[in-house]
């Protein structure tokens, strides 16, 4: 048993913290959020320094590290700025499906620009009528000419406005029983005829990234845009969730730590009734609870990442990490607002933004309830 990160991992963590400290200033974060603007310049810089797709092999522009090292980077970024951190963490969203199941040509074409921070991807799984339950889909891919024709609608798709391409989960065999045995993933590039993206508008948090609806009207894609084997898409997506949920858990962990840092700093400076508010035992107890929750979340997140890197697929552990870290992020950021009093309610003190941003970690990539279903299913030995 060894609870220490190794020197290389500590170096990655330090480098990510230094980068974030230099680039994600409070003013930059507030401005980007206010303008709902994607941090493209920061993404490019992060890509040039090797922070994007750190867990991809070097031949595809990555650094050859694992999910744990990616989690360390994501945590450091989200600790400094929850909004910029999320954008950088999901700039290559769902591209792990290409990495695990795609052809060498697809990996070279799509992954290398992502790791350079010069392209952004999107993953289209959710539909208006199918959110938690993606076992059945209305988006269909039918054989047509020298490829496939896609029709349907995906909703809540992150990065949609700027993504260079989207990985779309489609029903490719309408006769399959159960239906998910007939799902496939396809690459659809921005600008393809019949492919439209529209913004879903204002939202509670993560405002730097667009959340969009994507419609596919007779969208033609060639055979080479099918990812991996036909009708294996559902399994590819589940495999992807095993790692992406660790990343969402790392986002949550970073946000919780970021909220805590700001609360501690504020409590040491603010005076009421002739003393610093950190001197009140109630404040100290709040900080003690927050720090304990964060430490417990960190143990789960690192263990889930490490476990995945050992080649052990354990959806129960991944779901525990995501569910717990998400809850901790929300609770800690809420307490951080309380410690700030009225100032915590104001944009300038950042904790209200961390709180708003943290809330998504309990919803996307499977809600808290869906994570509980996975955990409970494994505990009681329920199949599928
Ligand atoms: C900002 C944002 C970004 C997103 N980004 C993406 C993206 O990039 N790509 C993508 O494909 N999707 C994305 N999503 C969609 C997200 O993954 C879904 O919203 C989420 O999976 C829940 O689906 P739903 O909204 O349809 O809710 P529903 O599935 O309708 O759930 C409603 C409620 O019912 C509960 N519930 C549902 N089924 C069960 C069950 N079996 N047991 C217990 N409770 C249940 C849920 O937990 C929830 O509380 C994003 C969503 C948001 C808000």
């Amino acid at each position: 048993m060894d609870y220490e990160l190794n020197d290389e991992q500590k170096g990655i963590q330090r480098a990510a913290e230094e980068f974030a400290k230099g680039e994600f200033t409070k003013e930059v974060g507030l401005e980007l959020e206010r303008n709902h603007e994607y941090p493209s310049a920061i993404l490019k810089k992060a890509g040039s320094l090797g922070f994007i797709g750190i867990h991809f092999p070097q031949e595809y522009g990555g650094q050859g590290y694992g999910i744990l090292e990616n989690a360390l980077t994501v945590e450091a970024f989200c600790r400094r700025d929850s909004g910029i951190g999320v954008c950088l963490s999901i700039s290559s969203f769902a591209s792990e499906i290409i990495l695990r199941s795609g052809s060498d040509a697809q990996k070279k074409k799509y992954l290398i620009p992502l790791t350079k921070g010069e392209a952004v991807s999107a993953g289209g799984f959710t539909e208006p009528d199918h959110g938690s339950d993606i076992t059945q889909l209305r988006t269909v891919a039918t054989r047509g000419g020298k490829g496939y024709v896609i029709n349907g609608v995906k909703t809540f798709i992150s990065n949609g406005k700027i993504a260079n391409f989207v990985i779309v989960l489609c029903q490719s065999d309408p006769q399959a029983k159960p239906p998910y045995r007939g799902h496939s993933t396809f690459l659809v590039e921005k600008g393809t005829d019949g492919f439209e993206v529209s913004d879903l508008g204002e939202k509670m948090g993560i405002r730097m990234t667009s959340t969009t609806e994507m419609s596919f009207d007779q969208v033609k894609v060639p055979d080479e845009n099918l990812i991996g084997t036909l009708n294996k898409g559902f399994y590819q997506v589940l495999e992807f969730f095993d790692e992406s949920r660790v990343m969402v858990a790392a986002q949550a962990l970073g946000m919780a730590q970021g909220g805590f840092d700001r609360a501690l700093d504020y409590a040491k400076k603010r005076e009421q009734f002739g003393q610093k508010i950190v001197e009140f035992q109630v404040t100290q107890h709040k900080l003690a609870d927050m720090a304990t929750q964060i430490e417990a979340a960190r143990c789960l997140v690192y263990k889930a990442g490490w476990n995945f890197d050992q080649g052990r697929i354990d959806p129960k552990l991944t779901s525990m990490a995501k569910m717990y870290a998400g809850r901790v992020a929300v609770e800690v950021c809420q307490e951080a607002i309380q410690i700030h009093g009225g100032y915590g309610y104001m944009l300038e003190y950042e904790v209200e933004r961390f709180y708003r941003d943290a809330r998504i970690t309990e919803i996307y990539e499977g809600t808290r309830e869906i994570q509980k279903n996975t955990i409970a299913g494994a505990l009681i030995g329920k199949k599928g």
Side-chain angles (χ1 to χ4, degrees):
M1 194 91 190
D2 183 358
Y3 274 107
E4 274 291 306
L5 295 173
N6 64 35
D7 288 345
E8 206 170 357
Q9 290 162 337
K10 285 180 189 161
I12 292 167
Q13 199 174 39
R14 256 194 319 274
E17 280 167 2
E18 283 302 309
F19 174 73
K21 194 173 164 197
E23 298 291 326
F24 315 176
T25 60
K26 182 172 153 184
E27 293 68 33
V28 167
L30 287 169
E31 183 75 5
L32 290 168
E33 136 111 350
R34 191 175 301 119
N35 298 333
H36 297 199
E37 188 186 334
Y38 192 83
S40 303
I42 298 177
L43 172 66
K44 191 139 194 249
K45 206 159 179 183
S48 72
L49 293 171
F51 289 119
I52 307 297
I54 193 170
H55 54 306
F56 288 177
Q58 286 175 338
E59 59 183 313
Y60 304 122
Q63 304 298 317
Y65 289 113
I67 296 300
L68 175 56
E69 287 78 12
N70 196 25
L72 295 173
T73 309
V74 170
E75 178 192 353
F77 287 174
C78 288
R79 177 179 183 173
R80 179 63 56 176
D81 189 293
S82 53
I84 302 175
V86 164
C87 287
L88 266 52
S89 147
I90 63 168
S91 69
S92 58
F93 185 65
S95 63
E96 287 85 357
I97 294 175
I98 306 175
L99 182 67
R100 307 260 170 257
S101 308
S103 64
D104 191 48
Q106 286 171 341
K107 291 178 200 178
K108 287 201 170 101
K109 180 174 176 189
Y110 294 102
L111 299 185
I112 293 173
L114 289 179
T115 52
K116 284 186 179 161
E118 289 171 357
V120 169
S121 59
F125 314 122
T126 307
E127 299 187 346
D129 295 331
H130 300 109
S132 298
D133 180 9
I134 53 163
T135 58
Q136 328 192 28
L137 302 171
R138 280 193 206 276
T139 304
V140 292
T142 43
R143 207 65 203 139
K146 285 193 179 135
Y148 294 85
V149 182
I150 300 175
N151 282 289
V153 177
K154 295 287 176 182
T155 197
F156 286 131
I157 310 307
S158 298
N159 295 339
K161 260 179 22 182
I162 52 159
N164 300 69
F165 64 90
V166 55
I167 294 155
V168 201
L169 184 67
C170 304
Q171 187 77 45
S172 43
D173 176 2
Q175 310 303 333
K177 283 195 181 55
Y180 62 80
R181 291 208 178 133
H183 287 183
S184 302
T185 51
F186 294 90
L187 286 150
V188 177
E189 294 186 15
K190 183 179 178 175
T192 308
D193 282 349
F195 172 38
E196 299 286 338
V197 180
S198 54
D199 201 307
L200 289 174
E202 300 273 331
K203 59 184 181 292
M204 181 179 181
I206 59 164
R207 294 181 176 170
M208 296 175 201
T209 179
S210 56
T211 305
T212 59
E213 182 169 276
M214 291 183 166
S215 64
F216 303 85
D217 181 12
Q218 296 290 107
V219 173
K220 293 189 181 70
V221 291
D223 279 343
E224 60 260 30
N225 284 28
L226 168 69
I227 305 176
T229 312
L230 190 68
N231 298 328
K232 292 288 178 213
F234 182 72
Y235 304 100
Q236 294 169 359
V237 172
L238 286 194
E239 207 175 53
F240 164 62
F241 284 157
D242 280 324
E243 52 188 318
S244 69
R245 285 176 178 169
V246 180
M247 284 319 108
V248 176
Q251 291 170 12
L253 174 61
M255 291 179 201
Q257 186 65 59
F260 176 86
D261 294 344
R262 284 157 180 81
L264 178 63
D265 187 52
Y266 186 81
K268 284 182 178 170
K269 289 183 186 142
R270 178 72 172 169
E271 277 184 28
Q272 287 297 289
F273 297 95
Q275 59 179 322
K276 306 278 189 216
I277 61 166
V278 78
E279 299 300 335
F280 299 131
Q281 195 181 44
V282 69
T283 309
Q284 294 172 10
H285 282 190
K286 276 189 186 5
L287 291 167
D289 283 340
M290 291 154 83
T292 307
Q293 284 180 289
I294 293 169
E295 193 57 30
R298 183 167 288 120
C299 285
L300 263 178
V301 176
Y302 289 7
K303 185 176 175 190
W306 174 85
N307 202 55
F308 186 92
D309 292 336
Q310 305 307 307
R312 299 185 204 141
I313 304 301
D314 184 352
K316 169 167 67 68
L317 182 61
T318 309
S319 286
M320 283 176 171
K322 181 184 183 284
M323 179 187 76
Y324 187 71
R327 192 81 295 246
V328 165
V330 172
E331 288 178 5
V332 166
C333 292
Q334 183 161 318
E335 284 293 52
I337 294 174
Q338 201 64 20
I339 289 175
H340 279 75
Y343 295 96
Y345 204 68
M346 308 309 287
L347 253 68
E348 205 202 318
Y349 286 79
E350 296 183 293
V351 283
E352 66 82 40
R353 178 157 66 93
F354 272 65
Y355 175 70
R356 287 189 284 107
D357 289 348
R359 198 62 183 80
I360 193 60
T361 65
E362 290 197 290
I363 296 172
Y364 64 11
E365 315 260 326
T367 60
R368 190 196 319 151
E369 293 75 17
I370 294 302
Q371 308 309 323
K372 281 192 188 174
N373 288 351
T374 303
I375 298 164
L379 294 176
I380 64 174
K382 198 168 139 194
K383 290 229 160 30

